[in-house]
Amino acid sequence: TPREIGDYALEHQLDWVEDSSNLKTHYTRNFIRHKVLPLIEEQFPQALTAITATAQKTAEAALLYQEMVTLRLKKGVKTENGIEKIAIAQWKNLVPRQTLIWEWIKRFGFTEGQIGEVEKLLDASNGKYIHSQTHRLLHNRGWLLMIPVAIAEASLQIVDSLPAQLMLPNGGILEIGKEEPFKSEKMPLKFSQQEARVDAAILRLPLLLRPAKPGDYFYPFGMQKKKKVARLLIDLKLSMAEKEQVYVLESDQRIVWVVGYRMDDRFKITAGTQQVVKCGVRFTEAK
């Protein structure tokens, strides 16, 4: 305490400088120190001893709390390529969930008021997200992904509305048009690698543009059986460098288009189609 420090200095003949602000009671800490505590001590002589003991116990309890939080987060949070993620099914059953959510998200610039938004995100549809100034928290295929903005902008793009333009790693521009009325006489008779025309009624926003990854599969246009995207790229005899630049356009956890290569048969135009969304790749310079 200040009193004990002063007694120690006097006993050892030490000089000290008193900060003048310590005597001004318009500061809350000084008001409590100079006005409130003396009154409490006057009425309850052992109060300060009890308060000090309680403060020590509270500090120890805080250490135990932090150790437990660190342990729980270590078990529940995985990290891949700079992106932290949690399994939604697992976190839905966590207790105390709100506390752990807060301890996780506060490190990434989110506010305490966004805890409820994170809980809603656990039950949201694929592609929904909330954000802070530095991170985007995205619901994607059973996971919540904590993605730094720089990574999100570079590798994962979200389309909330149409029309939209997105940059591809190979320098191309992916253009996704508005819904247009479908005219049967304009129905494409063959597939084009650089263009995909899909049934707007099947498409669900938001759309995700992301790198292809192991395990991805789709139903190639004109086929009724699914095929791994990796197998398609092998069949196309793409080099490793070319494979690393392959992106997919995803709607509600289903691949719409292996961009620039093959669209998914489930989104194709049929005789019953009423509205069409056109997706195409163009290059500002010769590829």
Side-chain angles (χ1 to χ4, degrees):
T1 65
R3 181 182 301 173
E4 290 172 332
I5 294 173
D7 292 341
Y8 178 89
L10 289 173
E11 181 181 347
H12 294 81
Q13 298 181 340
L14 299 176
D15 293 329
W16 74 90
V17 177
E18 184 72 35
D19 188 339
S20 60
S21 67
N22 287 337
L23 302 176
K24 296 177 181 179
T25 57
H26 61 270
Y27 295 115
T28 301
R29 67 180 186 277
N30 290 340
F31 179 80
I32 294 173
R33 181 187 302 158
H34 299 306
K35 298 293 185 180
V36 177
L37 290 181
L39 290 175
I40 292 176
E41 191 173 21
E42 183 179 331
Q43 294 295 319
F44 307 99
Q46 301 302 317
L48 293 186
T49 301
I51 290 173
T52 300
T54 300
Q56 290 175 340
K57 291 176 182 177
T58 301
E60 291 179 358
L63 287 174
L64 290 174
Y65 166 84
Q66 196 56 56
E67 286 179 5
M68 182 57 68
V69 165
T70 300
L71 180 62
R72 295 288 291 275
L73 291 181
K74 186 176 181 179
K75 289 183 177 180
V77 179
K78 300 182 182 297
T79 303
E80 291 182 3
N81 300 321
I83 297 174
E84 290 193 8
K85 64 180 186 177
I86 62 172
I88 289 175
Q90 177 185 350
W91 275 57
K92 279 186 176 182
N93 299 319
L94 278 183
V95 178
R97 189 170 69 187
Q98 287 194 351
T99 298
L100 289 170
I101 286 175
W102 170 236
E103 291 293 341
W104 183 45
I105 69 172
K106 71 180 184 181
R107 296 182 290 118
F108 304 104
F110 291 86
T111 67
E112 196 167 2
Q114 290 178 287
I115 293 174
E117 295 180 45
V118 177
E119 290 199 298
K120 290 180 181 178
L121 203 59
L122 293 171
D123 294 310
S125 58
N126 191 61
K128 294 295 183 182
Y129 69 94
I130 62 175
H131 62 86
S132 68
Q133 290 187 338
T134 60
H135 286 75
R136 184 178 291 165
L137 185 58
L138 171 73
H139 182 131
N140 186 56
R141 296 189 171 197
W143 296 86
L144 286 190
L145 307 182
M146 186 67 75
I147 309 172
V149 169
I151 293 179
E153 291 178 348
S155 64
L156 187 150
Q157 300 177 65
I158 300 173
V159 179
D160 289 314
S161 60
L162 301 180
Q165 287 190 344
L166 306 104
M167 294 299 299
L168 295 168
N170 60 4
I173 299 174
L174 172 60
E175 298 180 323
I176 307 174
K178 284 185 176 180
E179 295 182 9
E180 298 177 354
F182 171 63
K183 296 181 181 180
S184 59
E185 63 269 20
K186 291 187 176 181
M187 184 172 177
L189 300 178
K190 62 181 181 178
F191 171 78
S192 169
Q193 285 190 326
Q194 299 303 316
E195 183 178 285
R197 299 191 181 193
V198 302
D199 191 325
I202 303 174
L203 211 60
R204 295 285 182 270
L205 295 179
L207 305 178
L208 301 181
L209 178 67
R210 61 169 178 80
K213 59 185 180 182
D216 278 343
Y217 70 88
F218 75 126
Y219 289 76
F221 183 80
M223 298 176 61
Q224 301 302 309
K225 292 184 179 181
K226 67 181 181 182
K227 183 173 186 174
K228 285 192 174 182
V229 172
R231 183 73 254 176
L232 171 71
L233 304 184
I234 291 172
D235 293 344
L236 292 173
K237 296 181 170 57
L238 298 188
S239 67
M240 182 60 67
E242 289 173 323
K243 290 177 182 178
E244 290 175 351
Q245 292 190 331
V246 173
Y247 271 53
V248 298
L249 186 65
E250 181 181 303
S251 171
D252 196 20
Q253 301 186 54
R254 298 191 297 175
I255 290 177
V256 179
W257 188 23
V258 180
V259 179
Y261 294 101
R262 199 76 175 262
M263 70 169 282
D264 191 296
D265 193 77
R266 294 170 293 182
F267 293 86
K268 69 183 179 184
I269 296 170
T270 67
T273 299
Q274 297 182 352
Q275 300 281 328
V276 174
V277 171
K278 179 181 175 181
C279 307
V281 176
R282 67 177 176 87
F283 294 88
T284 54
E285 300 178 359
K287 185 176 177 183

